[in-house]
Amino acid sequence: MSTTDTTGTTGEHPAADEADTPSATDAAGAADTSPGDEAAGADLSTAPKEDPAGPAPGGPTLGAVGWIRWFWRQLTSMRVALILLFLLSLGAVPGSLIPQNSVDELKVADFKKAHETLTPLYEKLQLFDVYGSVWFSAIYILLFVSLIGCIVPRTWQFVGQLRSRPPGAPKRLTRLPAYTTWRTEAEPEQVREAARALLKGRRFRAHTVDDAVAAEKGFLREVGNLVFHIALIVMLVAFAWGVLFKSEGGKLIVEGDGFSNTLTQYDDFKSGSQFATDELEPFGFTLNSFTGTYEKTGPQRGTPRTFEADVTYTRGDGKDEKAVIRVNQPLKVGDSKVYLISHGYAPVLTVKDGRGKVVFNGAVPMLPVDNNITSTGAVKVMDGYRDKNGKREQLGFTAFFVPTFAGAGKGTMVSQFPGLDFPVLALTGFHGDLRVDSGLPQNVYQLDTSKMTQYKVDGGTGVAKRLLPGETMTLPDGAGSITFEKEIKEWASFQVSQQPGNGLALTGAVAAIAGLTGSLFIQRRRVWVRAVRGDDGTTVVEMAGLGRSESAKLPEELADLAVALTAQAPPAPEPAEAEASEGAEK
């Protein structure tokens, strides 16, 4: 049995398979390619034939319709789809690096203050609203149209290929990349029947055409290719669906307080343009306690070990249920998910007026400024306060809290550890107008002192004083006092979100991976087995294979098929061997 193999390897990607050409083109040469040779490699791919150069200079005028068709062919090519996909990924980069109005307007405002020169340029380029910008939407829509315009005709063409049969064998099988031949004493009809049964047993689509068996295999490659690109469309739809119908809000809750999933309960709330507030999931929950423990020694000192919120939540039916919310383990209520975002401390403070009346008592949340939960906050007494003379006034206190103080004389007042080992609270008092009635929005954690006068107190710096739990700072001239109670509560910040497109996006991502895997590891190939009567009366068997792109696996598979077929059509002795055998017998 003699074997002739021509092998090669060609790197390929399913999204760019229009650049591949059947390897028979290389084997046959351009000089004398027969129609049978061309048919053998036809329809191995559904990739459209393109003319990337466009209309030839000086050629005939295309006209309006012709130009529209040419631009449509360019737009729906895989090359352009890949370019648009790259541009979409590139366009998302500033959305990750630059604060976005849709995520946090306060961060955007801070960014604008810190970068006054760049801000006008960024605003013109819509870099603070990347995902809603004109240029990002244009790329998104063009990519969507490009993928659909590419997939629809390829799918229709692939369906036609599935319904058709493999083409007949080329006239010269020796020109194909993988080839082998031998002579056998079996009848040609028997060889062809055995070959057809063998190929069907190996899951080839096989049928007999004239003097040869034609077989084809590897259609799942194109299925995977199409699934991959359809999955991209699914993910684009999921992204658009999520942007239009999503809702996302944040809420800071102190231990013992609750939350109801209504718009007025949120500290901040963002939603898509098609989201209606009556679509909010009906539920509420109470933060029973927050537990946070930290590594106390070693290089990882201060690293959180336990970070969980114990809550009691109520669905629409009013039944109470217990749950524990952890990082990356949200509470799921219907279509909503409640994520644990951050945590901090809320010292309990009591403020009395000049006559000893309690005008404020409650836990005041402090916002962390570092990993050891060094925190800042503000206390605002807006109503009910009167000085010793009965004059109505407003009070405000800026607060600086550290859960673990290093001690006086040991550096600045910065926390050394996130746990409550040595809590200290520094307060600075003001009186006057808090400007809460000015009509301008205010940050509840910051104090506007533009219309206020600072108190001077005994001890500390003269204007600010450090307090331990249970200690009191007395305001001058009988203005009252503020007490740092021994109870220190903790708070947790939650994000409540509804993302209707997440499930669809996950399905698309899984399908894309599966489709890409199939298109990379499955090869579309054809095999022909020709059996004809030779001049000496024996049967000449030829086997050849052709793949969409050259691969070392095709000759190996053909050799395996040849070995299996020789079991039923064993090679006949060569003429020289037969004569030597007859001479030995004589």
Side-chain angles (χ1 to χ4, degrees):
M1 178 173 64
S2 62
T3 303
T4 303
D5 294 334
T6 304
T7 62
T9 56
T10 302
E12 56 180 333
H13 187 281
D17 55 8
E18 69 272 13
D20 297 332
T21 56
S23 51
T25 303
D26 299 331
D32 57 344
T33 303
S34 67
D37 295 334
E38 295 178 354
D43 297 331
L44 271 176
S45 170
T46 59
K49 303 299 184 292
E50 299 183 43
D51 180 14
T61 304
L62 292 178
V65 176
W67 277 108
I68 291 174
R69 288 177 178 174
W70 183 81
F71 280 116
W72 174 254
R73 284 198 299 270
Q74 303 310 305
L75 178 61
T76 56
S77 68
M78 269 305 129
R79 180 177 57 258
V80 172
L82 285 173
I83 293 173
L84 291 172
L85 188 61
F86 173 74
L87 290 177
L88 192 71
S89 304
L90 194 64
V93 172
S96 303
L97 301 178
I98 301 173
Q100 300 293 295
N101 285 318
S102 60
V103 178
D104 194 331
E105 292 182 353
L106 292 177
K107 286 186 177 180
V108 173
D110 293 340
F111 184 91
K112 289 181 177 180
K113 290 180 181 179
H115 304 84
E116 295 181 356
T117 304
L118 290 175
T119 295
L121 176 62
Y122 283 9
E123 288 179 338
K124 288 182 180 180
L125 296 177
Q126 299 178 294
L127 295 184
F128 296 116
D129 296 283
V130 167
Y131 303 111
S133 63
V134 174
W135 55 268
F136 190 87
S137 300
I139 297 173
Y140 186 90
I141 294 172
L142 285 174
L143 177 60
F144 194 83
V145 173
S146 176
L147 288 173
I148 293 178
C150 177
I151 290 171
V152 170
R154 292 185 67 170
T155 302
W156 184 253
Q157 183 181 353
F158 181 61
V159 170
Q161 292 181 14
L162 288 176
R163 298 176 62 182
S164 63
R165 289 187 170 188
K171 183 177 181 180
R172 300 178 181 86
L173 291 178
T174 54
R175 293 181 170 187
L176 299 186
Y179 174 82
T180 185
T181 182
W182 72 93
R183 307 171 74 86
T184 181
E185 295 181 352
E187 294 297 322
E189 294 79 5
Q190 295 176 349
V191 175
R192 289 194 288 267
E193 185 61 30
R196 192 168 68 89
L198 172 64
L199 291 168
K200 285 190 173 183
R202 300 290 180 93
R203 298 190 302 276
F204 278 83
R205 297 173 57 199
H207 71 118
T208 303
V209 183
D210 298 329
D211 59 358
V213 176
E216 190 169 10
K217 189 178 182 180
F219 282 92
L220 286 179
R221 175 191 176 91
E222 191 63 28
V223 172
N225 198 355
L226 293 173
V227 167
F228 172 74
H229 294 97
I230 292 173
L232 290 181
I233 294 179
V234 171
M235 288 189 287
L236 290 175
V237 171
F239 177 78
W241 185 269
V243 169
L244 293 174
F245 294 93
K246 74 174 183 177
S247 71
E248 187 175 272
K251 179 65 177 179
L252 185 150
I253 304 175
V254 179
E255 288 177 327
D257 291 346
F259 166 79
S260 179
N261 193 27
T262 58
L263 188 60
T264 57
Q265 289 278 297
Y266 284 99
D267 295 331
D268 59 85
F269 185 83
K270 301 289 183 182
S271 64
S273 59
Q274 300 301 312
F275 181 84
T277 55
D278 57 2
E279 296 176 5
L280 289 171
E281 195 77 31
F283 74 93
F285 66 91
T286 300
L287 176 61
N288 301 322
S289 63
F290 178 87
T291 303
T293 60
Y294 308 90
E295 188 69 39
K296 292 195 172 185
T297 59
Q300 292 187 336
R301 185 176 187 270
T303 303
R305 294 305 180 196
T306 305
F307 204 77
E308 58 187 33
D310 179 63
V311 301
T312 299
Y313 69 98
T314 306
R315 299 176 185 268
D317 55 11
K319 182 181 178 181
D320 290 346
E321 299 182 55
K322 296 281 188 178
V324 176
I325 305 176
R326 300 181 179 88
V327 177
N328 298 326
Q329 295 182 20
L331 170 66
K332 298 179 182 180
V333 184
D335 294 331
S336 297
K337 292 184 179 180
V338 182
Y339 295 90
L340 177 60
I341 301 300
S342 59
H343 126 279
Y345 295 103
V348 178
L349 303 177
T350 301
V351 180
K352 295 181 180 180
D353 64 10
R355 295 175 295 178
K357 178 184 176 182
V358 176
V359 293
F360 177 87
N361 177 258
V364 180
M366 301 288 169
L367 296 184
V369 296
D370 61 24
N371 292 333
N372 286 326
I373 317 186
T374 301
S375 308
T376 63
V379 184
K380 299 179 182 182
V381 182
M382 295 175 283
D383 300 308
Y385 172 77
R386 294 175 184 268
D387 62 14
K388 66 177 182 178
N389 299 319
K391 180 184 177 181
R392 291 181 179 274
E393 213 171 15
Q394 293 179 331
L395 296 183
F397 300 87
T398 59
F400 196 85
F401 176 78
V402 291
T404 302
F405 183 42
K410 297 183 179 180
T412 58
M413 188 174 169
V414 177
S415 180
Q416 307 297 309
F417 185 74
L420 285 173
D421 290 353
F422 186 10
V424 174
L425 178 68
L427 293 170
T428 303
F430 299 84
H431 63 101
D433 182 10
L434 290 170
R435 304 198 69 190
V436 293
D437 301 322
S438 64
L440 299 175
Q442 281 192 1
N443 189 329
V444 296
Y445 305 104
Q446 294 179 352
L447 198 65
D448 184 354
T449 60
S450 60
K451 299 293 183 180
M452 305 191 80
T453 302
Q454 190 172 9
Y455 281 117
K456 293 186 177 181
V457 297
D458 295 332
T461 63
V463 293
K465 187 175 181 178
R466 294 172 180 168
L467 301 177
L468 297 175
E471 293 185 342
T472 299
M473 182 175 76
T474 302
L475 303 177
D477 301 326
S481 64
I482 180 169
T483 301
F484 178 19
E485 303 293 349
K486 292 185 178 181
E487 181 183 12
I488 301 175
K489 294 186 176 182
E490 298 191 49
W491 59 260
S493 179
F494 299 91
Q495 177 180 292
V496 183
S497 63
Q498 289 183 232
Q499 298 284 353
N502 283 354
L504 191 63
L506 178 61
T507 301
V510 172
I513 294 173
L516 184 61
T517 302
S519 62
L520 287 176
F521 294 102
I522 299 175
Q523 185 185 23
R524 180 93 172 269
R525 65 269 195 199
R526 289 170 179 165
V527 172
W528 292 272
V529 181
R530 174 177 286 141
V532 294
R533 183 77 64 183
D535 296 337
D536 58 355
T538 60
T539 300
V540 178
V541 182
E542 290 182 290
M543 292 186 69
L546 174 66
R548 262 205 56 243
S549 59
E550 295 180 1
S551 170
K553 293 184 178 180
L554 181 61
E556 294 175 3
E557 184 176 32
L558 189 72
D560 183 55
L561 290 170
V563 170
L565 186 58
T566 55
Q568 301 183 54
E574 293 295 331
E577 296 178 1
E579 292 177 2
S581 176
E582 291 176 1
E585 290 178 359
K586 292 179 179 180

